[in-house]
Each structure stands twice: as structure tokens, then as C-alpha cells.
Amino acid sequence: MARDLSVQIGSLTLKNPIIAASGCFGYGLEYAGSLDVSALGGVASKGLFLKEREGHPPPRIVETPSGMLNAIGLQGIGVHRYVAEKLPELRRLGVTNIVNICGTTLDEYCEVARVLSDHEGVAALELNISCPNIKEGGIQFGCSLTGTYDVVSAVRKVTTLPIIPKLTPNVTDVASFARASEEGGADAVSLVNTFLAMAIDVETRTPKLSNMLGGLSGPAIRPIAVRMVYECHQAVKLPIIGMGGIQSATDVIEFLIAGASAVQVGTANFVDPFIWTKLTDGLADYMDRHGIGRVSEITGSLRKNT
Amino acid sequence: MARDLSVQIGSLTLKNPIIAASGCFGYGLEYAGSLDVSALGGVASKGLFLKEREGHPPPRIVETPSGMLNAIGLQGIGVHRYVAEKLPELRRLGVTNIVNICGTTLDEYCEVARVLSDHEGVAALELNISCPNIKEGGIQFGCSLTGTYDVVSAVRKVTTLPIIPKLTPNVTDVASFARASEEGGADAVSLVNTFLAMAIDVETRTPKLSNMLGGLSGPAIRPIAVRMVYECHQAVKLPIIGMGGIQSATDVIEFLIAGASAVQVGTANFVDPFIWTKLTDGLADYMDRHGIGRVSEITGSLRKNT
Amino acid sequence: MAVDVLAEILTNRALSRDYNVLGFAAPEIARLARPGQFVMVRPTSGNDPLLRRPFSIFEILRDDRRQPIGVSILNKNVGVGTSRLYAARPGDRLSILGPLGRSWLDVFADAPGHESWFVAGGVGLAPFLTLAEHTAADKRPMRLFYGGRSQSDLYYASLFEDLGASLHLTTEDGTAGEKGRVTLPLERELKARGGRPVTLYACGPTPMMRAVAALGASLHAPTVVSLEPVMGCGMGGCYSCVVKVSGADQHPHFVRSCLEGPVFDAKRVQWEALAH
Amino acid sequence: MAVDVLAEILTNRALSRDYNVLGFAAPEIARLARPGQFVMVRPTSGNDPLLRRPFSIFEILRDDRRQPIGVSILNKNVGVGTSRLYAARPGDRLSILGPLGRSWLDVFADAPGHESWFVAGGVGLAPFLTLAEHTAADKRPMRLFYGGRSQSDLYYASLFEDLGASLHLTTEDGTAGEKGRVTLPLERELKARGGRPVTLYACGPTPMMRAVAALGASLHAPTVVSLEPVMGCGMGGCYSCVVKVSGADQHPHFVRSCLEGPVFDAKRVQWEALAH
Ligand SMILES: Cc1cc2nc3c(=O)[nH]c(=O)nc-3n(C[C@H](O)[C@H](O)[C@H](O)COP(=O)(O)OP(=O)(O)OC[C@H]3O[C@@H](n4cnc5c(N)ncnc54)[C@H](O)[C@@H]3O)c2cc1C
Ligand SMILES: Cc1cc2nc3c(=O)[nH]c(=O)nc-3n(C[C@H](O)[C@H](O)[C@H](O)COP(=O)(O)OP(=O)(O)OC[C@H]3O[C@@H](n4cnc5c(N)ncnc54)[C@H](O)[C@@H]3O)c2cc1C
Ligand SMILES: Cc1cc2nc3c(=O)[nH]c(=O)nc-3n(C[C@H](O)[C@H](O)[C@H](O)COP(=O)(O)O)c2cc1C
Ligand SMILES: Cc1cc2nc3c(=O)[nH]c(=O)nc-3n(C[C@H](O)[C@H](O)[C@H](O)COP(=O)(O)O)c2cc1C
Ligand code: FES
Ligand code: FES
């Protein structure tokens, strides 16, 4: 059967809908020695500020039931070293780079976007306005509707690259943030970032993370993330990149049915760095079994119970 | 060592801080044939409206990684049958009854509260303003600050029983709802109710729950719930009853350290209906090992990382 | 009264690639159990999966002096929990909670002079062995109508024969017994029974039970069915396991099948409201 | 390059109530592994626990013709994941990913004429056996300083003796070897070594490694330590495993120990910034 795994996110074409999630795949090159990174639908880079950042002291992660908390604190090399040290090799490998960008001010987002727009090899910008574990990680934008609108429309003015604000789940009505993104001129939205959470060592009565608060990811959050993708799909026309706890092809398909056009996989990559072919094979198999020719036919195809 | 497990929630004294969560322990009598229900700190009843309710058609639950979704739809016998058929036996057994009450209008909450206030054997009222899976389950109050204030202050006028609004986690800033409850005259707050979520059967492309949406509970949500309890403890003076994914004494203590004065256990009771003595024994053992005489010394005792 | 036992697995007999029988050391449960009751088994001590799974009590295990030492379950591997139980090893310990629910015998008091006919589909055989032992002790005539997809689905029929039951086996592929559905011989035998009063007991896939209920109604045989809804707790705590049945007032209500079932008078069941 | 192998467990030798050695059939990893590298083992195929756990490669397992057929790990049961590995049974299959990280040999190129002294605390022995084999093949003199709480913590010392290492054993309770910390004989021997150049390799509890690093610095022995931070992925993906080390610019930076470690020149390590 003719079956096509490629998907369209605005003007961006991905060879398949399965993307490595930001902060969970380094800059992509870390994995290039062990697997073919260009075979992924895309790689969302570790979040980049204008400058280098040290991040939080360890412990930075703690495991929780079917999930994990992280408070990495956006350690990173900054956008200038990224374009100098990482991008050329990523281009050479043919990786579809979705660069995750952060800022403490509107100007910083715009400046990072400008630098990236000046270089070949960037496929899209994912605006991280939702990192829960640093105060200046954009969450001040991501938890306010006007803040979201402002950052999206500001970045819109400085780049022709597709822009994809990444929404936080730590809000009452995520769909309204998708709407604000749409109005601001976004090409797509991605969701969810992690859930603000904490864990305490009861013997010492101290937080298990040096930063006290961290972001919950992994299979634990999947049912909430699926619901949020569904709500956004009802609310906006924008393509949606869904994520949160995906660890199998079935999970990928669940997000697609709920309304996602593509998905990202984060925590599951830690457990199984070779998960990618399993996911695309499983999706292809599903499409064959159900006589589906294009991934977009699955997107938003939820039937109501009778 | 002299060690006392009792806790004070406003004017209410509980023999220990461990309460069966609403909707997870029937009306209490279901378990009376197998265990001593009066040994629990308290029993939060299944949510009660004024009238009987049929609830949603099955399937009503679905398991998810380290958690479960439920959309029971508040099936229940109504407050009148509760006081006639359940309360006398519960009183005879010496159960501390925290009656979980629901309403579709302010008047209904008040009327249910009045009926319960007229009967002996009710220790406190838990105001369910947070059931995520029925439209008229009070969530219209629980997701609005003025709605929360209104329902708490209205019920405050009709009863002298301790009132404990139960907060939803599906909001941006749960602490503001604790504040609204405090201003409305609540004696304590309890949190968290379940997280709005969904799961899809990818083969049929239909929701796994007949109601489509359900509430996520169980260990999966614990780190988010602990964070929310911590936030509320920072924001209000009211005692807090914490819950969400507790399945061991360590988890109980984690909530206490974060700021809870007592806790509720829901999903874990399904897995282990004899969990109660394990939890109180584990708490007692912890207090002995740490030289703690009263549970209230643990409440809010989180130390910051240095 | 239910007890929870962290029970050692005594035996795990694989019957095929997807059926096995697990024996648990749980004398407390074995002593309390009545025919048709069930247990909630925790497939692991961890969280994956989180919830217990309901299983009919298959056998009461006894020692040489016929003292109850445990129970077994007949497990069909259909998913995450049952696959752990398929792979469990003797010596492992798993929590099992029971006995739970009502017994077949709670639905109809043994009607004098009635024959007991059991109608089982596949793993639906499980709740019948204890009932057959009870019926044999009563010296009441019994028959087993037992259907499966193929020969390899039909286990343990000989145990029933040993207890004095006459057998009517069917398979969909004809590899054993009569070819076709189990309702075929059932209908034939019901029609041929003359005036003898018969009570039907059925457990298996929902469509099969529904068909048996219809036969029972039209051919005047009181029918009891053992339903298998999803169950979160087994103790009446969660209200997940409801089935719609008509009450004393003749109106349909959702009732918890872990408390009021899993066995029901088939006449009360609102079949169209069942989840599957 | 790392590979992931769904490896059959060949052997599980329990050494005590909390130590065991698990052998995995993973020839691909065994062929690639270099001394001091590690693997990420998935303790179950399910989600409890979710993440893999890092373990030093203890032995390279070989068949009769000395062909590599797998690796073993020396496991200390300290929590949920390691307890599953303690209880694992031959025939079980677990995913193991590796080899990962840098080798001891990547930190200092073998300095000509240097003696190799290994300093191990408890389960910190694990990354030394492969190094000892390498050192023996090089015909370089070596010693093992090996400390534990008591005799039952000191395993496999004889393997090192067989390879030609001289042993300095210590226990805190005096049940074997010298009584006291492993740094006691180390300091004595370092001081007594005359002009002989020595490289120290240390793995064990952080305070021990820190003490060894201090001795190495003051007594002029280059020191390599193998750190054990919490690791989420082992591949450089998550940035959880950072340790603060001084870089080429002499400024301290967080670097990922799964990529730049787990072995580090002790001089670079900012001990006060370590998580424990
Ligand atoms: C009173 C009672 C007695 C039962 N007795 C037996 C028995 O003796 N032997 C036996 O093999 N099975 C029995 N079952 C069914 C058994 O409980 C389910 O097969 C089991 O829970 C499936 O668990 P799983 O984790 O393997 O499946 P999952 O991975 O959870 O799901 C796999 C499939 O099984 C279905 N399923 C899940 N839970 C149930 C459930 N409770 N009932 C029916 N289908 C379900 C799901 O919808 C899904 O299609 C009984 C059920 C009840 C309610
Ligand atoms: C490179 C490397 C090599 C290692 N080699 C070995 C080895 O050969 N043999 C061996 O027994 N152990 C080794 N460890 C330590 C081992 O990884 C941990 O003991 C294990 O991850 C604990 O898992 P758990 O699920 O049993 O513990 P958990 O239940 O997760 O935690 C129990 C306790 O162990 C601590 N812990 C958790 N993860 C780690 C970790 N990665 N490192 C140290 N402490 C941790 C926790 O803080 C907690 O106090 C190594 C660690 C690293 C980083
Ligand atoms: C260790 C870690 C680091 C992360 N770093 C980032 C980041 O830099 N930028 C970002 O937008 N999201 C970051 N995330 C969030 C993930 O991209 C993703 O939104 C989230 O983990 C949910 O997906 P998952 O459940 O598949 O992991 C991080 C997540 C983890 C676990
Ligand atoms: C099956 C089920 C039914 C519930 N019914 C109610 C209810 O009637 N009223 C209410 O306030 N909360 C209800 N809850 C929420 C629980 O009381 C509790 O807030 C939530 O489950 C989190 O705790 P847990 O993780 O320990 O289960 C229900 C939860 C479950 C799982
Ligand atoms: S299974 Fe929980 S009420 Fe029946
Ligand atoms: S363990 Fe993930 S980056 Fe090192």
C-alpha cells in the first residue's frame, strides 16, 4: 500500500511525525555516533539562551512513579556557540533542527531568533515560554495570555522561520494560550512542557532537587497531556505538536487522534535511545492495518462514544 | 516514647492524620465487614448531592501508568438516604465522618449542608467544588475565585460544622483558591482532587471512558500534588488536608512536611484496602526514629537546600 | 469478610500459550470461599500495573487430609496483568484479596428437584468447578455445556465428568466436540428436556451470556450469569464495576457488581447497557 | 558508539544478602568495552522503575576460545532498581546499553614506568577488574587497596591477586585485613614508595575518593577517580549527571559525566560541588 509518513507543520515538512523533545536529546550530535539522527522527524534542541548558562547544581533529576522530575536549569552553550559548533555538523548529517529558544526578555527571544535566522540549517524555532524550573525561563510569558501573544508576535517580526510556541500545562485553560499564539502569528504550537512538581526526602526533610521545584515528565502525565492536546485542537486551526509521556507507537497514535499533527518524545528516549525506529515502524504498521495513507488522516480523528 | 498521632483540623480532632479519600471508600460501611473503620483518622464519604444520581455509564475507569482515570459521575444515594441508611450505622461504629457534598447551585450546597447539620455523627463537611468529570459537579465554582468564595461563605452561614473546600489542581494558581476559601470562612482546605485527563483506544479511535474525560489519580500525580500543598501552605494559615497518590507512610510524611496537617488516601486503597494500619504504623515508627512527639511538628517542616 | 494474603505461588501449570492455572497458598481465603466468588490478585508488588485484577476462584486446594490450603485461578493471558500472572513462578509471592462478591447460590436458593446446567465459554469455565463440587455433594444432576474456539481452549472438562456431570462440548472450528456455538446443544437439550426443571448458570463472553439468558427466558429455565466488568477495587469502594439491572422497583439502576454480583439473575440484567 | 542489547541473564551469583554478580549475554558490548566504561541496565521491561541504572562493567565474559560473549556487573542492592537486579533470574532478559563513558585509560595515557595502584571501596571494586587485566597484559606492577565495612564486603580480591596485584585489604570492623580506612595503608605505602612513580585509580564512596585525591595531590601521585552521580540517560541527552570540574580555561564548569566521565583527573574535580 502507498503509505506516507511525512507531515506538514505549516510550511515545514517533516519526514515523519516523531521528533526528539527539547532537553532530552542534547543538541542531537550526542546520539549521532549510535544512530541515524537524520531519520527522525526532527530534533528539538536543548533550550538556548543568547549566552551560555551553567544550570542548577545537582541533584537535577529524581525519579517518581512512571515519571521523573527535572530541574536542569537550562544549562546550555548559548546560541552563538550552537551555530558555530553544532549547526554545521547537524546540517552535514541532514538533521531537521527545531531549535528551542529561551529568553528572559522579549529582546533576548528576538535576538536569539535573529541569530538563528541568519544561519542555514534551522528548520523552525520552538519558543520555550514554559520552562517551569527557572524563574527567568520564559514562564513569565507562558503563564500570561498577553505575555504569550507579545513574545510570539515580537519573534514573528524578526524571522520568517516557522515559529512554534511551546505551551505550559500549568494553567487553567491551555486552549486560550493556543489561541493567543495563533493570534500572535505562530505557525504551530507544541505542548506540553513539564508539570511543576516537587519531591521531598523525608529523612532529611529537604527537597530532593537542589532547585526544590522541578518539572514532571514521562508516562505519568500522558493522560493529562492528551486531554490538553484535544482541547487545543478544538480551539485553534494551528497544527499541534503533542507530547508528554509517549513511549510506544500506540501512544504516538493516541496523540495524533486527539489532534496532534506531530509528536515529541522526551523521557522515553532516556529509557530507550533506539526507540525511534520502533515508533515509526509501529505507526506505519497501524496505518497499513487501518488502510490509512497519510498521517494527517489520523490527526483529530477521535470519534465520540455513542 | 510518648508519641501522639492525633491532629487538629480547626475544631475537629482526628485520632490520626490518615483519612479515606472521597469516592474511594464508598460510604465507609462497605469496608466495615473486613476492617475496623473507626481506626481511620476519618472517612470522606462518596460525594453527595441532595438527590440520588445514577452516574455515568461504564466504562468508568481506565488504568494509566502509575495511575487511573475515573469518570464515575458521582453516582450516589443523595443526602437524605445517607442520613437515614448510612449515618446511624457509621455512628454506631464510631467512624469520623467527613461528608463530601456536591451541588449544582449554591442553594443545593446549602441545603445538603443543612440536612447534614441536623444530624448527629457528621464531623465535618468537605465541599466538593472540584469534580472534573461532571459539568454540574461544582467545578464551575472550583475554577473561579469568586465562585469558590461564594460557595464557602454561603455554606458557612448555614452550618457550624467545620467546612473544608476541596480544591481542584486544574488551575494556574491553586494557592489563590486556598486564599479565597480562607476569606470565605473555611476551616481547612483539602487538595488535590483529580487532574482532568483522557485516554483513547487507538483501534476504535474512541475515548476509553464513556464520559470521554476523566480524573487522573494515583502515584503518577503525587509530585504535582505535593508541590500544590506546599504552595498553599505558604499562602494560607488554614490547616491543609493533602492528597494525591499516597501509597506508603513515606508518602504521608512527604505531604506533612510540605505543609499538610492530615492526608487522604484514595487510589491506593483500591490496591490495598488494608493499607491503613501500615500507614499509621509507618508514621509512628518515623516519629519514634526522629524523636517527634506530635504530628503537627512535621507539618510544614521542609528545610531548604543549602 | 475479605482477607488479603501475601500468598506464595504453589504451582503454575501452563495449559497453552495463553492459559495457565496458578495455585496460591491462602488457607484463609480457601476456608471462606463459596462457589462463584472471586479474588482480586495484585499482578506485581510495584505500580506496573497499579490495580488488582479480578479472577474467579477456580479450585479450592486441599492437603492430604482434605484441609483447605489455598485457591487456584484459571488465567487467560490477555494483557499486562494477566501476562505477569502467566509468567509468575512458584515461590513468588503475590497479594490476593478475597473471597469477594456473591455466590451463585446467593442468587437462587437451590430449587428442589432442579437440574443444574452450567454453560461456559472459554475461561468462563473458572467459576464452575466449585459449583460443580457443591452440586455433586448435593447429589443433584448436572451438565456442562462448554464451548471454545478450538480443542486447545477446552480444559478440565474431565474434572467435571469425574464429579458426575454430563458433557456437551463445542468448538468453533470443530476440532473437539460439536462444531459451532455452545448455545446450539444447549437449545437442543433444553427443548428435549421434557418437563424437567432446570437452572442455567452461565459465564463467558457477554454475547454468549446474553444468548443463554434469552434461551433461558424463552424456554423457561431460570438463569444466573456471572458478569465480568472492569473492577477497580472489588470491595465496593470505587463504583467502577456497575451493571445496569432492574431493581425491586422494576426500574433499572447501576449496581456495583463486586457487591451485588458478579452473579445476577439474568432477567434483571439490562444487556444493552453493558460496556462490551 | 553504544548498542542496546536485550540480553539474557546467564548467571546470578549472590555474594551476600546485598551483593550479587549478574552475567549478561551481550557479545556486542563485550567486544567494544574498554576498562572503566559502564552500561545502563533497565531493571524491568515495565515502568517501575522507569529509568535505567548505571553500572560499571565488572567482567568481560568469554567462551572457551576466549571470545567475548558478554559482560557482568557487580550489583549492590540499595534501592528499587538494584533490588530487582538482585532478584533477577537466569533466563530473564533485560536491556543493557553500552559501553558508555570514557575509560580510565582516556584520562592518563599509560605513563611509562608508572605503577598502577587501585583504591576501591566496597562496590567501587567493579571498574577495576578490566583495568587490572589491561595492566597485567602490559606487565605493569599493580596493587589493590580495597576497603569495606567488614569481611563480607570484600569480594574477588583473589582475582586481582591471580592477575599479579599485591593486596592491601582493610575493614572498618577489623574482620579482614587491616582495621580502619583504606586510606591508611595507602598513605603509608605512598610515603614508603621512594621515588617510584605511581598513578592512583580510585572508586568508592565520595569521601573516600576525595581523601584519595588529597593524598595523591600531596604525595605527588596523579589520581583518576570514577564518580557515580545520578544518571538519567547515560548518553548525553539529559544533563542530569553533571559534575563541576575545572576546564582547560581553569574555570569550573558543569560537565556531563556520562560523556566526559565517569572517570576524571581528580585535580579537576570540584569536590565541594558534588551532590553527595
Ligand atoms: C468477577 C470477575 C471474574 C473474572 N474471572 C476471570 C478468570 O477466572 N480468569 C480470567 O482469565 N479472567 C477473569 N476475569 C477477567 C480478568 O479480570 C481480566 O481479563 C483481567 O483483568 C485483564 O487484565 P490485564 O491486565 O491482563 O488486561 P489489560 O491489559 O488491563 O486489558 C487487556 C484487555 O482486557 C480487558 N479487560 C481489562 N480488565 C478487564 C476486566 N476486569 N474484565 C474483563 N476484561 C477486562 C481490557 O478492556 C482490554 O481489552 C474476571 C473478571 C471479573 C470481573
Ligand atoms: C558510572 C556509574 C557506575 C556505577 N557502577 C556501579 C556498580 O558497578 N555497582 C553498583 O552496585 N552500583 C553502581 N553504581 C551506582 C548505581 O547506579 C546505583 O546504586 C543505582 O542506580 C541505584 O538504583 P536503585 O534503583 O537501586 O536506587 P534508588 O531506589 O533509585 O535509590 C536508592 C539510593 O541510591 C541512590 N542512587 C540512586 N541512583 C544513584 C546513582 N546513579 N548513583 C549513586 N547513587 C544513586 C539514591 O540517591 C538513593 O539514596 C554506579 C553509578 C554510576 C553513575
Ligand atoms: C531532563 C529534561 C530537560 C528538558 N529540557 C527542556 C528544554 O530545555 N526546553 C524545553 O522546551 N523543554 C524541556 N523539557 C521538556 C520536554 O521537552 C518535554 O516537553 C517534556 O519532558 C514532556 O515530554 P516527555 O514526557 O516525553 O518527556 C525537558 C524535559 C526533561 C525531562
Ligand atoms: C474512583 C474515584 C472516585 C472519586 N470520587 C470523588 C468524589 O465523589 N468526591 C471527591 O471530592 N473526590 C473524589 N475523588 C477524588 C479523590 O477523593 C482524590 O481527591 C483523588 O483520587 C486523589 O487522591 P489519590 O491519588 O490518593 O486517589 C474520586 C477519586 C477516584 C479515583
Ligand atoms: S470494583 Fe470498586 S466498587 Fe466494585
Ligand atoms: S546521564 Fe543524561 S546527560 Fe549524562
Side-chain angles (χ1 to χ4, degrees), chain A residues 23-24 26 30-31 60-61 72 270, chain D residues 38 40 54 229-242 255-260:
Chain A
C24 303
E30 289 84 346
Y31 289 82
R60 289 176 167 190
I61 62 167
I72 306 300
F270 302 156
Chain D
F38 69 96
M40 294 290 286
V230 170
M231 288 187 173
C233 72
M235 297 276 288
C238 72
Y239 282 80
S240 67
C241 60
V242 294
V255 303
R256 287 167 289 183
S257 58
C258 65
L259 294 183
E260 297 204 24

Side-chain angles (χ1 to χ4, degrees), chain B residues 23-27 30-31 33-34 54-58 60-61 63 66-67 72 75 219 247 267 270-274, chain C residues 1-4 42 47 49-53 97 230 232-233 235-240 242 244 252-254 256 259 275:
Chain B
C24 302
F25 206 68
Y27 298 104
E30 289 85 345
Y31 289 82
S34 299
E54 274 292 286
H56 296 310
R60 290 178 167 188
I61 63 168
E63 197 167 343
S66 297
I72 306 298
Q75 174 171 358
Q247 56 178 180
T267 304
F270 302 155
V271 181
D272 179 4
F274 297 93
Chain C
M1 194 187 98
V3 294
D4 189 23
R42 211 173 151 185
N47 286 339
L50 182 63
L51 298 175
R52 295 184 187 235
R53 302 296 194 252
L97 171 71
V230 170
C233 72
M235 298 276 287
C238 72
Y239 282 81
S240 67
V242 293
K244 203 160 235 178
H253 293 294
F254 281 130
R256 288 168 287 183
L259 295 183

Side-chain angles (χ1 to χ4, degrees), chain C residues 44-48 84 89-90 92, chain D residues 44-48 84 89-90 92:
Chain C
T44 75
S45 60
N47 286 339
D48 189 9
R84 307 253 147 138
R89 297 188 231 200
D92 289 354
Chain D
T44 74
S45 60
N47 285 338
D48 189 10
R84 306 253 148 139
R89 298 187 230 200
D92 288 354

Side-chain angles (χ1 to χ4, degrees), chain C residues 83-236:
Chain C
S83 72
R84 307 253 147 138
L85 297 178
Y86 188 81
R89 297 188 231 200
D92 289 354
R93 283 173 179 275
L94 294 175
S95 290
I96 106 167
L97 171 71
L100 298 165
R102 303 210 303 160
S103 163
W104 294 113
L105 309 173
D106 295 329
V107 178
F108 295 130
D110 295 337
H114 269 238
E115 280 192 18
S116 294
W117 291 12
F118 314 143
V119 194
V123 73
L125 185 74
F128 287 114
L129 196 55
T130 51
L131 179 59
E133 279 171 359
H134 169 88
T135 311
D138 253 23
K139 305 212 173 13
R140 186 191 296 271
M142 58 180 157
R143 302 194 191 183
L144 174 68
F145 298 79
Y146 183 18
R149 282 162 310 181
S150 74
Q151 182 175 23
S152 60
D153 272 6
L154 300 182
Y155 302 106
Y156 286 99
S158 61
L159 284 183
F160 287 81
E161 220 169 4
D162 296 348
L163 289 165
S166 42
L167 300 185
H168 304 268
L169 305 183
T170 65
T171 52
E172 283 171 31
D173 63 3
T175 48
E178 206 168 316
K179 181 171 170 147
R181 303 257 166 102
V182 70
T183 40
L184 279 177
L186 178 64
E187 179 168 6
R188 194 177 57 227
E189 295 297 318
L190 274 174
K191 287 184 169 155
R193 79 184 191 277
R196 265 174 304 160
V198 162
T199 303
L200 299 180
Y201 300 85
C203 186
T206 303
M208 181 210 98
M209 287 193 281
R210 189 175 184 169
V212 174
L215 282 179
S218 67
L219 298 172
H220 311 291
T223 305
V224 195
V225 291
S226 183
L227 302 179
E228 299 197 347
V230 170
M231 287 186 174
C233 72
M235 298 276 287

Side-chain angles (χ1 to χ4, degrees), chain A residues 64-66 69 143 170-173 177 195-213 216 219-224 226-228 230-231 247 250-251 253-255 257-258 286 289-290 292 297-298 301-305, chain B residues 64-66 69 143 170-173 177 195-213 216 219-224 226-228 230-231 247 250-251 253-255 257-258 286 289-290 292 297-298 301-305:
Chain A
T64 65
S66 296
L69 306 187
C143 277
N170 298 296
V171 294
T172 311
D173 179 19
F177 290 82
F195 288 78
L196 193 61
M198 73 187 284
I200 299 169
D201 182 321
V202 304
E203 295 302 322
T204 62
R205 297 199 225 173
T206 56
K208 287 188 177 174
L209 293 171
S210 75
N211 186 54
M212 186 160 88
L213 297 178
L216 178 64
I221 66 171
R222 192 169 65 233
I224 317 180
V226 170
R227 182 263 296 179
M228 290 184 167
Y230 174 79
E231 287 176 347
Q247 55 178 182
T250 305
D251 302 339
I253 298 159
E254 187 175 14
F255 275 89
I257 295 172
Y286 177 86
R289 282 193 293 111
H290 289 260
I292 297 169
E297 295 167 41
I298 310 175
S301 64
L302 183 71
R303 303 187 183 120
K304 297 288 164 67
N305 284 320
Chain B
T64 66
S66 297
L69 307 185
C143 277
N170 299 296
V171 294
T172 311
D173 179 18
F177 289 83
F195 288 78
L196 195 60
M198 74 188 283
I200 299 169
D201 182 323
V202 304
E203 295 302 322
T204 61
R205 298 201 225 172
T206 56
K208 287 188 177 175
L209 293 171
S210 75
N211 187 54
M212 185 160 88
L213 297 177
L216 178 63
I221 66 171
R222 192 169 62 233
I224 318 179
V226 170
R227 181 263 295 179
M228 290 186 167
Y230 174 79
E231 288 176 346
Q247 56 178 180
T250 305
D251 302 340
I253 298 159
E254 187 175 13
F255 274 89
I257 295 171
Y286 176 86
R289 282 193 292 109
H290 288 259
I292 297 169
E297 295 167 41
I298 310 175
S301 63
L302 184 72
R303 304 186 182 119
K304 298 287 165 66
N305 285 319

Side-chain angles (χ1 to χ4, degrees), chain A residues 21-23 46-47 70 74 100 128 166 192-193 217-218 243-245 266-267:
Chain A
S22 177
K46 177 88 200 129
N70 88 80
L74 288 168
N100 184 276
N128 184 352
K166 182 163 174 182
V192 298
N193 210 315
S217 65
M243 77 197 86
T267 303

